[in-house]
Amino acid sequence: SGPAQAVRGHGAGALPLPVAAAFLRAIGGVAAREIAAHPPSRLLLGRRARQVARQGAGDWRVLLDDGSTLHTRRVLFAMGGRQELAEALGRELLPGLRLVDGFAARCMLTGELFAEGGVLRLRRRLAGIAAPRAVIVGGSHSAVTAAQVLLASAGLPWGPGAITLLHRRAPRLFYPDRDAARADGYLQFGRDDVCPRTGRVFRLAGLRMAARELLRQAWGLGGAAPEPRLCLAELPAMAPAALRALLAGADVIVPAFGYRPNTVQVVDEQGRRIALRAEAGPREPLVDAQCRVLAADGSALPDLFGIGLASGFVPRDAQLGGEASFDGQTNGLWLYQNGVGRRVLDQLRGG
């Protein structure tokens, strides 16, 4: 089909979001037809779940936005993630220094930047500024991708050192094996950074695609052309006064602090709200190693599962692989469609 051919045309490179959207719409159409052909399965479009309630018989009641209910033995949360501006503004960059204290008006979340029209809004914000300056806070894939988007945006006159990426820990780069990393001049890895299953360096934590290439330029790896418009700095090593001055001189600040999982209210058999562990803080996971949703006390809620962006799943076994040093969230489609997806499916089927 046309959408599939458009995807193939990009090879192993990153897909533009409109191309990915068209492909997903095509897949959605196929999935809708398959679901319709296999009753009692149902696809409810344009509907919103408001609550999932544990029942005395051990199943779940799902309350929908029109007041109707569904009854099921098992529930899977696969609702993606969100960014919260208030949380990003209130997070301490250094002791006593937050973006909410005088810098809020300059902030633009990565989700806003990456969304359709995000770059256009940025251009309007910077219109008339002859030598704009930007600060990106974070060392994640989203943070480095934000830098790449800024640099690739036509019409924005970034000069040398105009974009600063502040990170607490240096970003890592993905390589297919140790030899490829060393040949590129990348030596910042050890035994625990190599996946024992595949031999890949920073298989989970490593940056890929355009973000990876930008870091190779910034670090002068493999003869990559330099990128003088971008500079990297370690946030913990900065003096508070220097950080304030840097932020004060920025025309746009991009906090890249990741995503929180979308959920709906969960209640017990008596109708009492069950607090989830993911609600306790930005780095708290939604699920455990079996993809079971966790209550605030760390216990797994029976027959309630979660998967996808911001679920907080961390592979911890040889079956899934990954480097031992990895301590972030796993958001790889390959894992969802293979080992992690199989783990969830087996439990949904009662296996």
Side-chain angles (χ1 to χ4, degrees), residues 144 165 171-176 180-186 188 207-228 230 232:
V144 183
L165 179 71
R172 286 85 178 270
L173 300 185
F174 165 83
Y175 285 90
R182 295 186 183 112
D184 207 36
Y186 185 72
Q188 288 70 44
L207 300 184
R208 303 178 185 234
M209 299 184 180
R212 177 180 181 272
E213 294 311 302
L214 180 58
L215 262 295
R216 290 183 68 247
Q217 289 182 273
W219 290 335
L221 297 174
E227 178 46 85
L230 174 68
L232 282 72

Side-chain angles (χ1 to χ4, degrees), residues 90-99 101 137 166-168 234-245 247 257:
R91 188 178 300 192
E92 282 194 331
L93 305 185
L94 292 176
L97 202 164
R98 305 175 302 167
L99 292 174
D101 300 322
V137 188
L166 294 173
H167 57 80
R168 295 190 182 280
E234 294 184 8
L235 183 58
M238 295 194 71
L243 178 56
R244 286 187 182 277
L247 296 174
F257 299 151

